[in-house]
Amino acid sequence: MSALAVPLPGFETTPKPRLAGVGQASKTVQDQWMRAHREAVAPVSRQPMWQRFAELAATWKEERGYSSSLTDVLMSPSYQRVIALGRPVVPYVLAELAARPDHWFWALATITGVNPVPERAAGNLRAMTKAWLRWGDNEGLVD
Amino acid sequence: MSQWRIKAEFPRLKRAPFFLTSPESPHYNCVAWAADDDQNVWWPHLPPLFSYWPPGVPRKEDLQTFIAAFATLGYTVCADGALEPGFEKVALFADAEGTPKHAAKQLPNGRWTSKLGLAEDIEHIIWGLEGGQYGNVVQYLKRKIPPQVASKA
């Protein structure tokens, strides 16, 4: 067997030829087991939330490039996908904010429906970060 | 990000020498930098909860609004980016649709300083940053150098 014919781990193919005496029901069970195995090995849907957020955060920083427009920065696809993760992602966004302050405020406000930043602090990253981390602490969302 | 990435985004910088003059920082953007503010992100973003914009100036992403924002600092429109003793200048960039995308500030040596989004500052010639994602310079502004700045120079 050539190297190219060796199945990748988690992507084993159905054994061929079919074994004698193996019925359709057992084949269905086998197919379902193999599909479950594949999803367990490399599932996008089963990535832990922290990992999905970390990947989207890294992609967002690539996507925004050198854009000076805050509107463009916040409307980038990965940033919007973070918002789509909903309430479960909030503790990870707050942890990222504490470690590496960045413009996560639109996402946090959209997900939570609150904005703890005083109007006079709008645009000031340090003050906005401080306000959100205080809010997260009060909500029990910050370690 | 790297100089290679900067040159990829702004192809003219391959032929126009530029220098990185700061590390990356999300604390301020180009408009803030041109307005001598490195503590806030300036943009007429709506809702007005996430960025600074001069009070009383509409939050609209058009050229007149950006001119009005710099007018609060004493800038008025001018014809070009030539170095004029006693004055400092700002260049506003816009894309083909006329949407403002960038602001740069002239240095006392006649070159320009730009904050590239939320990344680094660079020193460059104005032509070097045109023709890329910021579009081209569509308006120059100038004001008399404030006395406290002039006395430092």
Side-chain angles (χ1 to χ4, degrees):
Chain A
M1 183 182 284
S2 72
L4 288 175
V6 176
L8 294 170
F11 290 87
E12 294 84 354
T13 54
T14 304
K16 292 179 180 178
R18 277 184 66 182
L19 299 173
V22 175
Q24 186 58 41
S26 61
K27 184 175 182 312
T28 301
V29 169
Q30 184 190 33
D31 287 348
Q32 289 180 347
W33 182 88
M34 290 179 69
R35 191 167 72 183
H37 178 62
R38 278 199 301 273
E39 290 185 358
V41 170
V44 172
S45 59
R46 292 190 192 177
Q47 279 181 337
M49 183 61 77
W50 67 264
Q51 189 177 359
R52 294 171 73 182
F53 170 67
E55 289 178 2
L56 289 171
T59 308
W60 172 52
K61 289 182 183 177
E62 283 296 312
E63 283 174 353
R64 74 189 192 192
Y66 298 109
S67 177
S68 294
S69 162
L70 189 65
T71 305
D72 293 347
V73 166
L74 302 185
M75 290 306 291
S76 76
S78 295
Y79 193 88
Q80 294 299 308
R81 287 175 68 196
V82 169
I83 293 174
L85 294 175
R87 190 88 185 186
V89 81
V90 170
Y92 303 104
V93 177
L94 291 171
E96 176 72 8
L97 196 57
R100 284 168 291 275
D102 211 327
H103 293 270
W104 292 112
F105 316 112
W106 167 271
L108 287 167
T110 303
I111 293 170
T112 63
V114 301
N115 180 35
V117 178
E119 191 177 342
R120 67 181 181 282
N124 185 303
L125 193 73
R126 282 187 185 83
M128 297 171 85
T129 298
K130 190 175 174 184
W132 271 105
L133 292 178
R134 190 185 305 119
W135 173 86
D137 195 30
N138 290 340
E139 296 289 317
L141 298 170
V142 177
D143 287 336
Chain B
M1 289 186 241
S2 66
Q3 292 211 17
W4 176 87
R5 174 84 187 267
I6 294 173
K7 289 176 183 175
E9 296 285 348
F10 305 99
R12 289 185 182 177
L13 290 178
K14 293 174 185 168
R15 289 179 285 147
F18 72 97
F19 309 100
L20 289 176
T21 51
S22 81
E24 291 187 26
S25 171
H27 289 270
Y28 60 102
N29 64 344
C30 66
V31 184
W33 185 236
D36 301 320
D37 178 0
D38 63 0
Q39 297 298 314
N40 292 286
V41 170
W42 287 43
W43 201 258
H45 182 74
L46 282 171
L49 306 172
F50 311 103
S51 59
Y52 174 80
W53 199 240
V57 179
R59 284 183 175 256
K60 284 173 63 181
E61 292 188 33
D62 62 31
L63 184 61
Q64 291 309 313
T65 301
F66 278 66
I67 292 172
F70 278 96
T72 66
L73 302 173
Y75 284 92
T76 58
V77 298
C78 65
D80 57 43
L83 189 61
E84 286 185 48
F87 287 88
E88 54 188 0
K89 294 190 175 183
V90 165
L92 299 178
F93 290 66
D95 64 14
E97 285 75 45
T99 305
K101 293 293 178 186
H102 185 65
K105 183 165 183 179
Q106 194 175 47
L107 294 166
N109 63 7
R111 288 170 62 86
W112 295 76
T113 180
S114 280
K115 176 72 158 58
L116 301 180
L118 301 172
E120 300 97 337
D121 305 345
I122 63 167
E123 182 182 322
H124 60 95
I125 62 171
I126 202 72
W127 177 84
L129 218 49
E130 290 187 303
Q133 69 179 81
Y134 297 154
N136 295 311
V137 176
V138 293
Q139 185 65 63
Y140 287 101
L141 308 170
K142 73 175 182 181
R143 72 173 176 181
K144 282 189 176 175
I145 296 176
Q148 70 273 18
V149 178
S151 63
K152 284 182 192 171

